[in-house]
Short mmCIF file of all heavy atoms in Angstrom, two decimals:
data_model
loop_
_atom_site.label_atom_id
_atom_site.label_comp_id
_atom_site.label_asym_id
_atom_site.label_seq_id
_atom_site.Cartn_x
_atom_site.Cartn_y
_atom_site.Cartn_z
N LEU A 298 -12.20 -11.16 -3.72
CA LEU A 298 -12.78 -10.88 -4.97
C LEU A 298 -12.90 -12.22 -5.79
O LEU A 298 -12.12 -13.10 -5.49
CB LEU A 298 -12.06 -9.80 -5.72
CG LEU A 298 -10.57 -10.04 -6.22
CD1 LEU A 298 -10.59 -10.85 -7.48
CD2 LEU A 298 -9.94 -8.75 -6.40
N ILE A 299 -13.77 -12.26 -6.78
CA ILE A 299 -13.68 -13.43 -7.74
C ILE A 299 -12.93 -12.94 -8.97
O ILE A 299 -13.42 -11.97 -9.54
CB ILE A 299 -15.07 -13.85 -8.13
CG1 ILE A 299 -15.91 -14.09 -6.82
CG2 ILE A 299 -15.15 -15.01 -9.12
CD1 ILE A 299 -15.72 -15.38 -6.17
N ASP A 300 -11.84 -13.45 -9.32
CA ASP A 300 -11.12 -13.01 -10.44
C ASP A 300 -11.76 -13.53 -11.77
O ASP A 300 -12.72 -14.24 -11.81
CB ASP A 300 -9.57 -13.32 -10.42
CG ASP A 300 -9.35 -14.83 -10.53
OD1 ASP A 300 -10.16 -15.61 -10.85
OD2 ASP A 300 -8.16 -15.19 -9.97
N ASN A 301 -11.11 -13.11 -12.98
CA ASN A 301 -11.69 -13.44 -14.20
C ASN A 301 -11.58 -14.97 -14.56
O ASN A 301 -12.14 -15.33 -15.46
CB ASN A 301 -11.11 -12.63 -15.29
CG ASN A 301 -9.62 -12.73 -15.43
OD1 ASN A 301 -9.06 -13.56 -14.65
ND2 ASN A 301 -8.92 -11.97 -16.23
N THR A 302 -10.86 -15.65 -13.77
CA THR A 302 -10.95 -17.11 -13.88
C THR A 302 -11.99 -17.93 -13.03
O THR A 302 -12.00 -19.05 -13.19
CB THR A 302 -9.50 -17.73 -13.68
OG1 THR A 302 -9.13 -17.58 -12.25
CG2 THR A 302 -8.43 -17.05 -14.53
N GLY A 303 -12.62 -17.05 -12.36
CA GLY A 303 -13.63 -17.62 -11.45
C GLY A 303 -13.19 -18.13 -9.96
O GLY A 303 -13.95 -18.59 -9.29
N PHE A 304 -11.88 -17.78 -9.66
CA PHE A 304 -11.26 -18.15 -8.40
C PHE A 304 -11.46 -17.07 -7.44
O PHE A 304 -11.32 -15.88 -7.85
CB PHE A 304 -9.88 -18.68 -8.46
CG PHE A 304 -9.63 -20.02 -9.20
CD1 PHE A 304 -9.32 -19.99 -10.54
CD2 PHE A 304 -9.98 -21.09 -8.50
CE1 PHE A 304 -9.17 -21.14 -11.18
CE2 PHE A 304 -9.82 -22.37 -9.20
CZ PHE A 304 -9.40 -22.37 -10.47
N GLU A 305 -11.73 -17.28 -6.18
CA GLU A 305 -11.82 -16.34 -5.18
C GLU A 305 -10.42 -16.20 -4.58
O GLU A 305 -9.70 -17.10 -4.38
CB GLU A 305 -12.78 -16.79 -3.96
CG GLU A 305 -12.86 -15.72 -2.90
CD GLU A 305 -13.76 -16.15 -1.73
OE1 GLU A 305 -13.63 -17.30 -1.24
OE2 GLU A 305 -14.68 -15.43 -1.46
N ARG A 306 -9.95 -14.89 -4.44
CA ARG A 306 -8.65 -14.56 -3.90
C ARG A 306 -8.70 -13.32 -3.14
O ARG A 306 -9.60 -12.60 -3.29
CB ARG A 306 -7.61 -14.64 -5.00
CG ARG A 306 -7.71 -13.44 -5.97
CD ARG A 306 -6.58 -13.59 -7.04
NE ARG A 306 -6.72 -12.54 -8.05
CZ ARG A 306 -6.31 -11.36 -7.88
NH1 ARG A 306 -5.89 -10.89 -6.77
NH2 ARG A 306 -6.57 -10.49 -8.98
N SER A 307 -7.65 -13.08 -2.40
CA SER A 307 -7.53 -11.82 -1.57
C SER A 307 -7.42 -10.76 -2.52
O SER A 307 -6.78 -10.69 -3.75
CB SER A 307 -6.40 -11.99 -0.60
OG SER A 307 -5.21 -12.06 -1.30
N ARG A 308 -8.03 -9.57 -2.08
CA ARG A 308 -8.00 -8.40 -2.80
C ARG A 308 -6.94 -7.38 -2.34
O ARG A 308 -6.66 -7.28 -1.05
CB ARG A 308 -9.31 -7.67 -2.61
CG ARG A 308 -9.59 -6.47 -3.48
CD ARG A 308 -10.92 -5.80 -3.10
NE ARG A 308 -12.11 -6.68 -3.11
CZ ARG A 308 -12.89 -6.80 -4.24
NH1 ARG A 308 -12.61 -6.18 -5.34
NH2 ARG A 308 -13.87 -7.58 -4.14
N GLU A 309 -6.15 -6.76 -3.16
CA GLU A 309 -5.09 -5.78 -2.71
C GLU A 309 -5.83 -4.48 -2.37
O GLU A 309 -6.69 -3.92 -3.10
CB GLU A 309 -4.13 -5.57 -3.80
CG GLU A 309 -3.22 -6.70 -4.15
CD GLU A 309 -2.12 -6.51 -5.14
OE1 GLU A 309 -1.52 -5.53 -4.96
OE2 GLU A 309 -1.87 -7.45 -5.96
#
Side-chain angles (χ1 to χ4, degrees):
L298 64 82
I299 308 284
D300 66 18
N301 58 3
T302 63
F304 289 102
E305 184 179 51
R306 64 177 178 80
S307 60
R308 188 187 303 270
E309 292 182 44

